[in-house]
Amino acid sequence: MAPSAQTLPTSVSDEKYANVKWEELGFGFYRTDNMYVAKCKHGESFQEGSIVPYADFQISPCSAVLNYGQGLYEGLKAYRTEDGRIMLFRPDQNALRLKSGAHRLCMPYPSVDQFVSAVKQVVLANKKWIPPPGRGTLYIRPILFGSGPILGSLPVPEYTFTVFACPVGRFHQDNAGLNLKIEDKFRRAFPSGTGGVKSITNYSPVWITLAEAKAQGFSDVLFLDAATGKNVEELFASNVFIVKGNVVSTPEISGTILPGVTRKSIIELTRDFGYKVEERVVPVEDLLDAEEVFCTGTAAIVTTIASVTFKETKTEFKTGDKTLAAKLFATLTDIQMGRVEDKKGWTVELTDATTPGLKL
């Protein structure tokens, strides 16, 4: 696993790859070369930003993001194919989710075209940091936040939209499957709250539960709904699916669960395989009675869940190469990596011509 905030050695501009030990790549932060920054004043719209060298921000101690948590982030990846192409996966869906979150947090937002253009520019500006095929991906992190100072009431005078990227390996390293703890005390999200958008405020409040679970030997935490405490919702940063016979169920999007781009894609692929997919309330009992359980997300991709522990009782599920999760993982990554024809129009190929205005 890469140490946090480590700076990797850079290489000269005409080399294909940065000087990275790709076989040691984990899911941690590496400083790359460039990032994208655009700013917007109150009452205005975002205009085209620019690629600048990666650097720290200078920000007011009274900024809206620091004082009131007014911020959103997205996560997506760039993939290098076996034949040398660079691909994105459904970046427009991340742009639309950012737009939804911006409405919820009272912020202006870049258009879908601006968002996708910014992502493309960052990927191409950090092209040598995209891992070789099969050795990882370039993780892309767009962030929208209130950067202007505010004390007490609106309006926020300035907003910033930025995008950076870093190379990553697998988020979950255990190929045998995850062992989850069902959290029955803390809740991740509440009705009418921000659980359904990718607010920066959603994550650190439940770090304590994740840290405690990992200290007990668990891989991750599965949260229950706040209203009843009887239904499963999602992991720390992944959506969950259960399989029973020919029926695949996943908690419905109802305002407390993040509408994952990978989740949406997996639902479509699962139906293509002939399964019936139900988006519904999923009681804990249904989860414990499942034959197979897996989670999905940009970082997690499709990851098998080997067991869950609820109130000291451990329940195990089917794992291995014959599972639906394994088939979905192979199909999805084949599409993302350009190993098969993308018949759904999900991938976007990048070339220098896709961002003609890019200046480094």
Side-chain angles (χ1 to χ4, degrees):
M1 177 70 73
S4 177
Q6 177 181 348
T7 301
L8 293 174
T10 58
S11 59
V12 295
S13 59
D14 60 348
E15 289 183 348
K16 184 174 182 179
Y17 293 111
N19 183 16
V20 180
K21 294 182 178 179
W22 300 111
E23 66 277 5
E24 299 178 5
L25 194 61
F27 201 92
F29 173 69
Y30 285 112
R31 180 173 178 144
T32 53
D33 296 329
N34 301 289
M35 65 183 190
Y36 175 97
V37 179
K39 292 184 179 293
C40 174
K41 299 295 185 181
H42 170 67
E44 298 178 354
S45 299
F46 274 101
Q47 303 300 313
E48 184 61 42
S50 58
I51 292 290
V52 298
Y54 186 96
D56 294 341
F57 281 113
Q58 184 175 2
I59 191 170
S60 169
C62 201
S63 64
V65 65
L66 293 181
N67 287 263
Y68 301 105
Q70 190 189 38
L72 299 160
Y73 79 84
E74 281 295 323
L76 62 161
K77 293 176 178 176
Y79 309 81
R80 194 186 295 272
T81 68
E82 296 288 348
D83 57 3
R85 293 174 294 150
I86 298 171
M87 313 291 284
L88 296 174
F89 184 74
R90 309 190 77 175
D92 60 313
Q93 297 298 305
N94 294 93
L96 291 171
R97 190 169 64 181
L98 186 81
K99 175 182 176 180
S100 176
H103 277 302
R104 180 65 178 83
L105 298 190
C106 200
M107 289 191 288
Y109 50 87
S111 69
V112 171
D113 287 345
Q114 287 174 321
F115 179 99
V116 174
S117 173
V119 169
K120 289 178 178 179
Q121 290 181 57
V122 167
V123 172
L124 293 175
N126 295 288
K127 186 160 55 175
K128 66 186 178 185
W129 298 98
I130 306 174
R135 308 292 287 277
T137 54
L138 186 72
Y139 184 82
I140 306 153
R141 175 59 63 85
I143 310 173
L144 175 65
F145 62 97
S147 50
I150 178 176
L151 191 63
S153 63
L154 296 170
V156 177
E158 181 188 74
Y159 297 89
T160 297
F161 174 59
T162 186
V163 185
F164 70 89
C166 61
V168 297
R170 286 292 299 273
F171 183 68
H172 293 297
Q173 300 291 338
D174 189 357
N175 293 326
L178 307 181
N179 57 318
L180 304 184
K181 175 185 178 181
I182 296 181
E183 175 56 50
D184 61 350
K185 296 178 182 178
F186 289 90
R187 300 291 182 257
R188 175 193 166 272
F190 299 84
S192 301
T194 60
V197 300
K198 209 162 176 61
S199 170
I200 63 172
T201 57
N202 290 349
Y203 297 90
S204 61
V206 290
W207 272 350
I208 186 172
T209 61
L210 184 63
E212 290 174 352
K214 286 184 176 291
Q216 295 167 6
F218 295 102
S219 310
D220 208 328
V221 175
L222 181 58
F223 291 96
L224 302 177
D225 72 299
T228 70
K230 297 180 179 180
N231 308 308
V232 297
E233 292 214 319
E234 63 179 276
L235 284 71
F236 174 73
S238 306
N239 296 115
V240 66
F241 288 76
I242 67 172
V243 185
K244 185 70 178 291
N246 197 51
V247 179
V248 178
S249 303
T250 189
E252 62 185 346
I253 301 299
S254 58
T256 58
I257 296 173
L258 190 70
V261 177
T262 308
R263 173 189 182 274
K264 182 177 182 179
S265 307
I266 287 301
I267 287 174
E268 187 169 334
L269 290 176
T270 302
R271 287 178 172 144
D272 290 347
F273 293 159
Y275 287 83
K276 178 183 178 182
V277 179
E278 297 179 341
E279 298 181 69
R280 62 176 176 87
V281 173
V282 179
V284 174
E285 292 76 15
D286 287 8
L287 171 77
L288 300 179
D289 190 46
E291 298 163 1
E292 180 186 344
V293 182
F294 59 89
C295 63
T296 66
T298 298
I301 314 173
V302 182
T303 302
T304 295
I305 294 171
S307 69
V308 299
T309 298
F310 182 50
K311 298 183 184 296
E312 309 303 324
T313 300
K314 183 177 181 179
T315 303
E316 297 184 340
F317 307 103
K318 180 181 178 181
T319 61
D321 295 338
K322 303 299 183 181
T323 59
L324 174 60
K327 183 178 181 180
L328 287 166
F329 175 86
T331 302
L332 181 65
T333 53
D334 278 349
I335 294 172
Q336 292 172 331
M337 296 294 296
R339 291 189 287 259
V340 298
E341 181 185 356
D342 175 16
K343 297 180 180 179
K344 295 181 177 295
W346 285 348
T347 56
V348 177
E349 182 177 348
L350 270 64
T351 65
D352 291 335
T354 61
T355 53
L358 177 61
K359 296 180 180 180
L360 301 182

